[in-house]
């Protein structure tokens, strides 16, 4: 018997983000919201979705629940979510074949998909300046949107100490997350530079000499930089460091990392806004900066320097510390807070920043102005600019912008902007020998897995040691044969060599393929990876993960020296 999860499912087969933000391929009202679908409540879907014994997905629900949309449509646009009669009649009259149909991917095919974007970097024990507290990191991405809206970055600071690592979750397209992933680390690195180094860099630019390298990037071949916008981005960055030179006379040599992170986040977001307002004579660049500004992105960035770990978070991605206890078990320490309606402090902050008569409208249906899920983000100028500024930029912009319904749409109850900020919340943690690793991940992971499971799976993978717990069946009726199968699977897992060398890949395998007993089910994993573009985003979000492994010996030595 086929069992479907009912109204939690999303069934209208539309491409959630295969269209760019400003596309002419669809009618304007349809463009308005379909590219913005994201942030499904996957934990509920994963926990309840079942598949029939005929080996095909049961997926023909009649509507899209608003809780599954990154943006909730204004009532005026509600009709655009109703399926056309022809499609509706087709789906209602559709009958599946009764003969069994197997379409599973083979294990090598599954591995090929999972490992396509994986990247690993091992840090040299001695980098010429100091012994690093970071052994290395693994990263990976699994797209659900087409193209993927997540981005990731990792780099070593060359003029100062430490490493920067970050994940970026885009919405309304990938333009903003792409720009932030390219630019933010430069803004942070410049903010951390001493006055003398800033002067040296500026003098080199003035005289036409080669610049000192600021960052050493660690990138997967698929992680690209926008060459067309490099000059524009450099000019904005140079203006920033020139202002830092003017503000700092060189008297103080102490750099506050927390302040540097906050200033870098806010300044980049300000530059994104300013570039869109000023425009560019080059039509391509002019269109690009507008796409960046009108789309949005959250960011979660870690700066590791010796035993000093700072996490700067804007939005709903997360940083989780993996701690190994004395008995070998694993515990999770959260180093970031989600900036959404589930965070009461964030809701209170928003209400205090606006008049009392907006208390009921500023956060509505757990969304900013009833539309946006994250309460902090880069870009998203529709929640930051005044109405007059929005109209002026749109009217003077390219036709693609002026003809797009989304850009012209003003959020309801939009009285006292800005409603959105990119200012990060910075958390400091002093590393200890028991702090073994850090997981940075977009919400696509945290929607499918509990933080304790994430830390346990990564910890067991990195150490090769499994801290066994009694098998829990969660209320399911399990036959003796099924229990024997679970025990056999556990024994095989312990005795076999891991097929994933990359910890992020191993975590994605569990996030997508775990069954109700917490074990990877190849059949389920194969089905989830076989979903076409039209359906993949309905079941899960893009997943981007960075796992940073710490050098416990170095951390312990630093503690002993003090």
């Amino acid at each position: 018997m086929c069992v479907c999860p009912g109204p939690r499912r999303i069934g209208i087969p539309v491409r959630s983000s295969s269209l760019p933000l400003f596309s002419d391929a669809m009618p304007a009202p349809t463009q308005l919201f379909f590219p913005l679908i994201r942030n499904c409540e996957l934990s509920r879907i994963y926990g309840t979705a079942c598949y029939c014994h005929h080996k095909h997905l049961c997926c023909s629900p009649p509507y899209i629940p608003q809780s599954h949309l990154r943006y909730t449509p204004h009532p005026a646009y509600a009709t655009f979510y109703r399926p056309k009669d022809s499609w509706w009649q087709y789906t209602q009259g559709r009958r599946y074949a009764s003969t069994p149909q197997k379409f599973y991917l083979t294990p090598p095919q599954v591995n090929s998909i999972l490992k396509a974007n994986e990247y690993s970097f091992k840090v040299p024990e001695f980098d010429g300046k100091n012994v690093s507290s970071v052994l290395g990191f693994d990263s990976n991405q699994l797209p659900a949107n087409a193209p993927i809206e997540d981005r990731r970055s990792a780099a070593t600071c060359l003029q100062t100490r430490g490493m920067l690592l970050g994940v970026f979750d885009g919405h309304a397209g990938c333009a903003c997350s792409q720009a932030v992933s390219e630019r933010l680390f430069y803004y942070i690195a410049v903010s951390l530079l001493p006055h003398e180094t800033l002067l040296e860099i500026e003098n080199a630019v003035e005289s036409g000499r080669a610049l000192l390298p600021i960052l050493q990037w660690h990138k997967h071949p698929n992680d690209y930089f926008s060459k067309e916008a490099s000059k524009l981005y450099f000019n904005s960055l140079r203006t920033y460091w020139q202002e830092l030179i003017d503000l700092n006379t060189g008297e103080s040599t102490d750099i506050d990392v927390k302040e540097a992170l906050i200033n870098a986040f806010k300044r980049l977001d300000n530059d994104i806004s300013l570039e869109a307002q000023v425009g560019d004579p080059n039509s391509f660049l002019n269109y690009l900066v507008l796409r960046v500004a009108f789309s949005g992105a959250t960011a979660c960035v870690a700066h590791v320097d010796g035993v000093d770990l700072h996490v700067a978070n804007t939005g709903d991605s997360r940083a989780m510390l993996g701690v190994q206890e004395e008995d070998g078990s694993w515990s999770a320490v959260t180093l970031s807070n989600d900036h959404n309606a589930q965070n009461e402090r964030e809701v209170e902050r928003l209400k205090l920043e606006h008049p009392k008569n907006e208390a009921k409208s500023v956060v509505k249906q757990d969304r900013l102005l009833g539309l946006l899920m994250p309460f902090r983000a880069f870009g998203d100028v529709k929640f930051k600019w005044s109405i007059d500024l929005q109209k002026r930029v749109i009217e003077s912009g390219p036709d693609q912008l002026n003809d797009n319904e989304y850009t012209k749409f003003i959020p309801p109850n939009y009285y006292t902007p800005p409603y959105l900020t990119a200012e990060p919340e910075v958390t400091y943690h002093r590393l200890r020998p028991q702090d073994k690793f850090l997981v940075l991940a977009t919400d696509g992971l945290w929607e499918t897995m509990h933080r304790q499971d994430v830390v346990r799976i990564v910890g067991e993978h990195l150490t090769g040691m499994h801290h066994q717990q009694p098998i829990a069946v969660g209320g399911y009726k399990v036959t003796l044969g099924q229990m024997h199968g679970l025990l056999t699977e556990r024994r095989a897992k312990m005795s076999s060599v891991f097929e994933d060398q990359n910890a992020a890949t191993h975590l994605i395998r569990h996030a997508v393929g775990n069954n109700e007993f917490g074990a990877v089910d190849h059949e389920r994993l194969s089905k989830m990876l076989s979903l076409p573009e039209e359906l993949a985003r309905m079941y899960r979000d893009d997943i981007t993960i960075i796992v940073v492994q710490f050098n416990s010996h170095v951390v312990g030595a630093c503690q002993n020296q003090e």
Side-chain angles (χ1 to χ4, degrees):
M1 182 180 71
C2 301
V3 182
C4 295
R8 291 173 181 166
R9 296 275 295 277
I10 302 175
I12 298 179
V14 298
R15 295 178 181 267
S16 62
S17 63
S18 58
L19 294 172
L21 176 60
F22 310 116
S23 169
D24 298 323
M26 300 174 66
T30 311
Q31 296 176 32
L32 176 56
F33 293 110
F34 281 171
L36 309 181
I37 296 173
R38 83 182 283 267
N39 231 34
C40 297
E41 295 178 32
L42 298 178
S43 58
R44 296 195 299 168
I45 294 178
Y46 271 75
T48 57
C50 298
Y51 299 93
C52 69
H53 64 281
H54 293 315
K55 312 303 186 211
H56 55 253
L57 296 172
C58 306
C59 49
S60 57
Y63 70 97
I64 299 180
Q66 291 187 355
S67 63
H68 288 250
L69 300 175
R70 187 61 159 181
Y71 288 84
T72 299
H74 188 269
Y77 294 92
T79 56
F80 299 120
Y81 284 89
R82 299 171 186 166
K84 294 182 179 180
D85 290 342
S86 58
W87 184 86
W88 178 249
Q89 294 169 357
Y90 168 76
T91 56
Q92 294 303 297
R94 185 173 180 177
R95 294 293 180 267
Y96 292 101
S98 59
T99 56
Q101 299 177 17
K102 293 187 177 181
F103 57 88
Y104 300 139
L105 298 172
T106 64
Q109 289 174 325
V110 167
N111 288 337
S112 178
I113 294 172
L114 290 178
K115 298 181 180 184
N117 297 311
E118 70 177 9
Y119 178 82
S120 296
F121 178 76
K122 301 301 178 185
V123 177
E125 291 187 14
F126 188 74
D127 63 4
K129 290 184 179 180
N130 63 309
V131 179
S132 177
S133 59
V134 176
L135 284 174
F137 69 87
D138 294 332
S139 71
N140 202 351
Q141 293 183 301
L142 184 66
N145 293 295
I148 186 171
E149 294 179 340
D150 281 6
R151 294 293 186 271
R152 58 183 167 176
S153 293
T156 300
C157 299
L158 297 179
Q159 300 306 317
T160 57
R161 301 187 310 175
M163 287 190 69
L164 287 165
L165 308 105
V167 293
F168 311 93
D169 190 349
H171 48 267
C174 61
C176 189
S177 58
Q178 174 64 35
V180 174
S181 70
E182 294 181 31
R183 306 176 67 180
L184 181 58
F185 284 11
Y186 281 114
Y187 280 72
I188 295 173
V190 164
S191 300
L192 293 170
L193 290 177
H195 185 258
E196 296 77 11
T197 307
L198 289 173
L199 282 174
E200 188 177 348
I201 292 175
E202 175 60 21
N203 291 334
V205 176
E206 282 288 336
S207 60
R209 290 184 285 111
L211 289 176
L212 291 171
I214 298 176
L215 296 172
Q216 177 189 357
W217 291 94
H218 311 299
K219 303 181 74 66
H220 186 278
N222 293 343
D223 302 334
Y224 65 93
F225 273 11
S226 175
K227 295 181 180 179
E228 297 83 1
S230 59
K231 184 177 180 180
L232 171 67
Y233 292 168
F234 176 80
N235 289 337
S236 295
L237 180 66
R238 184 185 180 189
T239 301
Y240 178 44
W241 81 53
Q242 287 174 337
E243 293 180 11
L244 291 177
I245 292 173
D246 294 338
L247 291 172
N248 186 354
T249 60
E251 297 176 358
S252 175
T253 57
D254 294 333
I255 302 293
D256 187 328
V257 177
K258 178 178 179 179
E259 183 180 352
L261 289 166
I262 293 174
N263 291 340
F265 272 62
K266 293 170 66 176
R267 179 53 183 252
L268 174 56
D269 191 55
N270 182 73
D271 284 352
I272 288 173
S273 174
L274 186 61
E275 289 161 0
Q277 294 176 48
V278 173
D280 193 281
N282 182 304
S283 59
F284 175 83
L285 284 180
N286 193 36
Y287 184 41
L288 174 64
V289 297
L290 289 167
R291 287 177 56 216
V292 170
F294 277 90
S295 57
T298 65
C300 187
V301 173
H303 178 263
V304 189
D305 180 9
V307 295
D308 297 320
L309 169 61
H310 288 83
V311 174
N313 183 55
T314 290
D316 50 11
S317 295
R318 292 181 191 170
M320 203 68 60
L321 189 67
V323 181
Q324 189 170 31
E325 305 297 345
E326 292 183 359
D327 63 356
S329 63
W330 296 93
S331 60
V333 177
T334 305
L335 295 181
S336 63
N337 295 311
D338 291 353
H339 298 135
N340 54 28
Q342 279 63 55
N343 185 337
E344 293 181 2
R345 290 169 55 190
E346 275 295 288
V347 175
E348 188 63 24
R349 176 188 65 82
L350 272 170
K351 290 182 178 180
L352 290 175
E353 291 178 355
H354 299 276
K356 291 184 178 180
N357 59 358
E358 293 187 57
K360 294 184 178 180
S361 61
V362 67
V363 176
K364 196 172 182 179
Q365 297 178 339
D366 287 345
R367 296 165 187 265
L368 182 64
L369 298 179
L371 297 174
L372 187 64
M373 292 192 72
F375 291 172
R376 303 192 193 193
F378 287 90
D380 282 321
V381 294
K382 293 202 68 60
F383 297 88
K384 298 174 181 177
W385 288 354
S386 68
I387 295 177
D388 289 340
L389 178 58
Q390 291 188 43
K391 290 181 177 179
R392 187 163 67 250
V393 170
I394 292 171
E395 289 172 359
S396 62
D399 292 339
Q400 301 101 311
L401 183 71
N402 198 33
D403 294 341
N404 187 272
E405 290 296 327
Y406 166 68
T407 58
K408 293 190 291 186
F409 172 71
I410 303 299
N413 304 307
Y414 196 79
Y415 305 120
T416 56
Y419 289 90
L420 192 66
T421 179
E423 180 173 345
E425 186 175 3
V426 180
T427 303
Y428 172 75
H429 178 80
R430 185 173 179 80
L431 291 175
R432 308 159 299 173
Q434 61 265 39
D435 300 331
K436 300 300 182 181
F437 59 86
L438 176 72
V439 178
L440 300 172
T442 54
D443 61 351
L445 173 68
W446 308 113
E447 289 167 349
T448 63
M449 298 187 71
H450 188 273
R451 62 177 187 170
Q452 189 60 44
D453 292 330
V454 168
V455 166
R456 176 185 55 80
I457 289 169
V458 173
E460 292 178 352
H461 177 77
L462 292 177
T463 62
M465 297 173 58
H466 294 263
H467 192 77
Q468 299 293 358
Q469 299 287 345
I471 291 181
V473 296
Y476 290 90
K477 293 183 179 180
V478 180
T479 66
L480 185 61
Q482 289 172 325
M483 180 59 72
H484 178 267
L486 291 172
L487 291 170
T488 302
E489 183 178 352
R490 168 181 279 191
R491 184 175 61 184
K493 182 186 295 184
M494 292 178 61
S495 60
S496 64
V497 178
F498 283 109
E499 56 185 323
D500 297 320
Q501 300 300 314
N502 185 297
T505 302
H506 188 66
L507 197 49
I508 291 176
R509 187 184 300 274
H510 278 267
V512 178
N514 268 9
N515 59 20
E516 59 269 29
F517 304 113
V520 175
D521 182 339
H522 175 74
E523 183 175 323
R524 178 183 182 85
L525 183 61
S526 172
K527 286 178 177 177
M528 295 303 293
L529 295 179
S530 301
L531 289 171
E533 290 179 6
E534 292 82 357
L535 288 178
R537 182 59 189 87
M538 308 305 178
Y539 282 85
R540 60 175 178 82
D541 198 356
D542 298 330
I543 301 176
T544 298
I545 302 171
I546 299 178
V547 179
V548 187
Q549 191 172 1
F550 298 121
N551 190 329
S552 299
H553 298 295
V554 172
V555 172
C558 291
Q559 279 192 339
N560 294 334
Q561 289 176 1
E562 299 177 357

